[in-house]
Amino acid sequence: MTTKAIIDPRDDVLGRSRVTDTPELEIFYGELAKRNAGAFWKRANAIEPWEPETRYRPTLWRYADMRAMCLRAIELVKAEEAGRRVVTLLNDSDAGREHTAVCGWLFSGMQAMRPGEITPAHKHTASAHRFIMEGKGAYTVVDGHPITLGANDYVLTPNGCWHDHGVDAEGEVSIWQDGLDIPLMNCLETNFYAVYDAPVQAATFPVNDLPQSYGGAGLRPEGIAAWDKPYSPVMVYRWDAVRDALRNLADVSEGSPFDGHMMRYANPLTGGWALQTMGAHMQRLPGGFCGKAHRHTGNVVYNVAGGHGYSLIGGQRFDWQRHDIFCVPAWTWHEHVNLDPVDEAFLFSFNDFPVMEALGVRIEEVFADNDGHQICAL
């Protein structure tokens, strides 16, 4: 991130700091510093900028490269020694490395597991969710609920829930993307971590009981205990159903000029986000789609579920193909293009919008110039 070389002319208005330092003031500032204090007007314009100024950069991770790193990791590191054999995705910025963040308040990594391997059971304050990228036979157990996982499925691991993961012995090497709100929990100084008293949980419910009970479109089960958790009871959103829902939407709607046809992974009981601190979407870009630019508060991390194209992010072009991962920092102009003139493309994404909405600071703005399109800096 680069800093402004000149003072923003908007700062030269009534109500903004325009104090000229004098020798007497410099002495005064030194006296304040000795008392663990400071003069607000010295940094007022930086502390309260005219608009959000992200510390993060648009960054792209090629799946071919990161997949090779994950496979190398499972050769070099034993699963039982690592606990969680995750290759962390770090934003290309000082802030990303400092906070171990993929973008803003979000953490992400890629995890690979061989058939027969497990991630020992544990729980933490941070909420987590996962997007399955490849493999066969992957599963998770969340608070005793066993859930099978397939390619392009989206699965929840809500905060405070015991969970373990694994791949059946008859399965295939599986790779998925993890997303957690670890940077937010660490900033709030609320992160706890605990290890289960056994390597794995004993399943106390039938396999896939939650998605099969609550996953019916527009249907709510009767005759079972009422769901009283603050997160979605569906737990896993199957790719086939999500894809079909998007295609059905496309049959009756032109979609958004910015995002094509988009579906939220929602809590069916409330219509709200599936988790309290992180949201997720799947969007469909029809063949030849050329989206217009917009920006918003909140950070977004994308995973290409299918197709190929590019996104202009802050005027910089990022070409993508299947399972490449890229991020859009807060308040950064962005637009998406599907390069295939016929076939559709799909983008999975997760975000910190629920936090922005809970705090009343989710704001969106449309790019008004050049017919709604940025000028590429390349």
Side-chain angles (χ1 to χ4, degrees):
M1 177 180 175
T2 59
T3 57
K4 293 181 179 178
I6 60 174
I7 298 174
D8 192 320
R10 293 174 296 181
D11 290 339
D12 190 26
V13 297
L14 188 65
R16 302 294 282 184
S17 178
R18 294 178 291 170
V19 177
T20 300
D21 291 344
T22 64
E24 292 80 8
L25 271 176
E26 294 295 344
I27 294 172
F28 175 63
Y29 298 149
E31 292 298 321
L32 286 174
K34 292 176 183 178
R35 293 163 175 80
N36 294 318
F40 177 75
W41 61 86
K42 284 280 288 182
R43 299 193 64 246
N45 298 1
I47 293 172
E48 295 182 316
W50 290 102
E51 61 186 30
E53 296 178 358
T54 183
R55 297 172 296 162
Y56 298 86
R57 294 192 180 105
T59 307
L60 182 143
W61 296 265
R62 297 285 179 203
Y63 185 55
D65 295 337
M66 299 312 301
R67 182 180 187 275
M69 294 295 100
C70 287
L71 296 179
R72 184 67 173 146
I74 66 176
E75 294 294 332
L76 296 173
V77 181
K78 295 180 180 178
E80 60 271 21
E81 294 177 349
R84 288 171 294 173
R85 193 166 45 202
V86 175
V87 174
T88 305
L89 304 179
L90 296 177
N91 188 269
D92 183 24
S93 64
D94 291 339
R97 288 179 279 274
E98 178 184 355
H99 300 292
T100 317
V102 64
C103 197
W105 299 118
L106 303 172
F107 168 96
S108 189
M110 290 172 55
Q111 187 167 177
M113 298 186 73
R114 290 191 182 102
E117 291 183 339
I118 63 165
T119 295
H122 60 282
K123 68 178 180 179
H124 36 68
T125 306
S127 293
H129 48 193
R130 310 174 203 287
F131 184 67
I132 312 305
M133 300 164 78
E134 68 172 85
K136 181 180 179 182
Y139 65 88
T140 187
V141 181
V142 181
D143 276 351
H145 296 274
I147 302 166
T148 59
L149 306 173
N152 281 4
D153 285 354
Y154 169 63
V155 60
L156 308 181
T157 309
N159 74 305
C161 294
W162 292 111
H163 56 284
D164 53 272
H165 318 296
V167 177
D168 290 333
E170 298 77 22
E172 301 172 353
V173 171
S174 296
I175 301 176
W176 58 78
Q177 180 186 7
D178 295 323
L180 295 93
D181 58 5
I182 291 174
L184 175 62
M185 295 299 108
N186 286 341
C187 180
L188 295 174
E189 299 179 348
T190 59
N191 229 343
F192 292 88
Y193 187 95
V195 176
Y196 197 64
D197 58 8
V200 298
Q201 303 172 71
T204 53
F205 298 90
V207 175
N208 293 324
D209 70 306
L210 286 177
Q212 291 185 198
S213 296
Y214 289 92
L219 303 175
R220 182 170 176 171
E222 298 286 0
I224 63 175
W227 186 258
D228 60 355
K229 310 293 185 183
Y231 50 83
S232 171
V234 177
M235 299 304 289
V236 64
Y237 297 77
R238 303 294 185 192
W239 166 236
D240 287 349
V242 173
R243 180 199 58 210
D244 291 348
L246 282 166
R247 288 174 174 169
N248 289 339
L249 177 63
D251 286 341
V252 296
S253 168
E254 294 183 358
S256 160
F258 311 105
D259 292 307
H261 301 97
M262 177 180 278
M263 287 286 189
R264 172 190 296 194
Y265 292 95
N267 182 335
L269 303 183
T270 66
W273 299 103
L275 293 172
Q276 291 177 286
T277 54
M278 293 184 294
H281 289 107
M282 181 68 76
Q283 64 195 90
R284 172 189 178 273
L285 308 181
F289 179 81
C290 185
K292 293 189 175 184
H294 66 152
R295 63 181 177 180
H296 44 66
T297 53
N299 302 272
V300 185
V301 181
Y302 291 86
N303 188 314
V304 182
H308 69 283
Y310 69 88
S311 297
L312 285 181
I313 310 172
Q316 184 177 358
R317 175 168 167 162
F318 293 85
D319 286 85
W320 41 257
Q321 56 188 343
R322 189 169 184 268
H323 288 324
D324 286 348
I325 297 169
F326 62 96
C327 67
V328 175
W331 208 240
T332 302
W333 297 112
H334 58 283
E335 57 195 275
H336 308 298
V337 175
N338 179 3
L339 284 174
D340 194 300
V342 178
D343 290 340
E344 59 200 353
F346 293 95
L347 298 178
F348 165 81
S349 63
F350 71 94
N351 57 66
D352 50 14
F353 292 169
V355 175
M356 305 300 139
E357 292 179 1
L359 297 175
V361 294
R362 187 178 175 193
I363 299 169
E364 183 174 349
E365 184 175 81
V366 173
F367 193 75
D369 299 333
N370 196 35
D371 195 30
H373 297 285
Q374 303 168 79
I375 297 175
C376 185
L378 296 182

